[in-house]
Amino acid sequence: MSEIDLTLRGAEFEDAASLIDLLNQLGSETEFMSFDRFGMGLKPELLGRHLEAIAASDHQLLLVAEANGALVAVASIAADEDPRTYHIGEVGIGVLQEYWGLGLGSILLEELLDWAEAGEVLFRLELKVQVQNQRARHLYEKFGFATETIMSRGARGDQGEFLDVAFMSRLLH
């Protein structure tokens, strides 16, 4: 697969069931995700309402990438409603293994950063990435994220082994 017809857009209520399927597949393809093959345990109706709230928010974003009529990747900035931390967004990106190595992570991260920089609400972006996920760490570093600390035993692998996690951030504006 060398060229794909990709559509990148904000997630909508109608995407809920497909997004759950995507998240479940992502969790089953790699242990780099913070959830496993059982996904996040969300029901489509609940996720749909959550997607509507995100779409109406000035400090949260959830993008989906669609190829050949199916969702193949997701990227998000999640933020808290607490006034003390309202300015901090947590970045998350997931790409189906079939689409790794095609630059989709860069496209998604660039869209997230452009959106965050254009707004006047977020001033800090954070993320957690397993130390063993070298490709993702390189991507985040390429876009200006710096490692603040390594969290020993920050996650567990599928076999129960402890995994170190890098806590990374990037300041905006």
Side-chain angles (χ1 to χ4, degrees):
M1 176 182 6
S2 58
E3 206 172 296
I4 58 172
D5 184 19
L6 186 72
T7 301
L8 191 60
R9 59 179 175 77
E12 301 171 346
F13 182 91
E14 295 77 18
D15 294 317
S18 296
L19 185 54
I20 289 170
D21 291 343
L22 172 64
L23 295 172
N24 290 343
Q25 186 174 346
L26 287 168
S28 71
E29 287 185 346
T30 177
E31 63 181 14
F32 292 150
M33 303 302 291
S34 60
F35 48 86
D36 62 13
R37 67 188 182 283
F38 299 111
M40 299 169 59
L42 293 174
K43 301 288 183 217
E45 177 72 21
L46 179 61
L47 179 57
R49 297 285 172 236
H50 188 60
L51 294 175
E52 288 178 330
I54 291 171
S57 171
D58 65 349
H59 70 302
Q60 297 190 83
L61 178 65
L62 198 146
L63 298 174
V64 292
E66 200 170 25
N68 302 318
L71 299 185
V72 299
V74 60
S76 65
I77 296 177
D80 206 12
E81 294 299 324
D82 186 308
R84 292 184 188 264
T85 56
Y86 195 84
H87 65 285
I88 301 171
E90 184 175 352
V91 172
I93 295 177
V95 177
L96 290 180
Q97 240 175 20
E98 180 181 349
Y99 293 86
W100 287 5
L102 301 175
L104 192 47
S106 292
I107 292 168
L108 291 166
L109 187 53
E110 188 168 8
E111 286 293 321
L112 291 178
L113 292 173
D114 287 349
W115 178 85
E117 288 283 358
E120 297 180 8
V121 178
L122 296 176
F123 291 87
R124 177 183 170 89
L125 295 177
E126 301 174 342
L127 60 89
K128 295 175 187 168
V129 59
Q130 291 178 20
V131 170
Q132 67 178 349
N133 191 348
Q134 292 294 321
R135 291 174 80 172
R137 290 181 66 200
H138 175 73
L139 170 70
Y140 297 130
E141 289 168 353
K142 181 172 86 171
F143 282 90
F145 283 82
T147 300
E148 290 190 359
T149 192
I150 301 294
M151 298 181 291
S152 298
R153 300 182 179 182
R156 281 197 176 222
D158 290 341
Q159 305 306 312
E161 72 280 14
F162 288 111
L163 304 170
D164 292 345
V165 173
F167 182 83
M168 302 179 79
S169 68
R170 176 183 161 168
L171 300 181
L172 303 171
H173 309 291

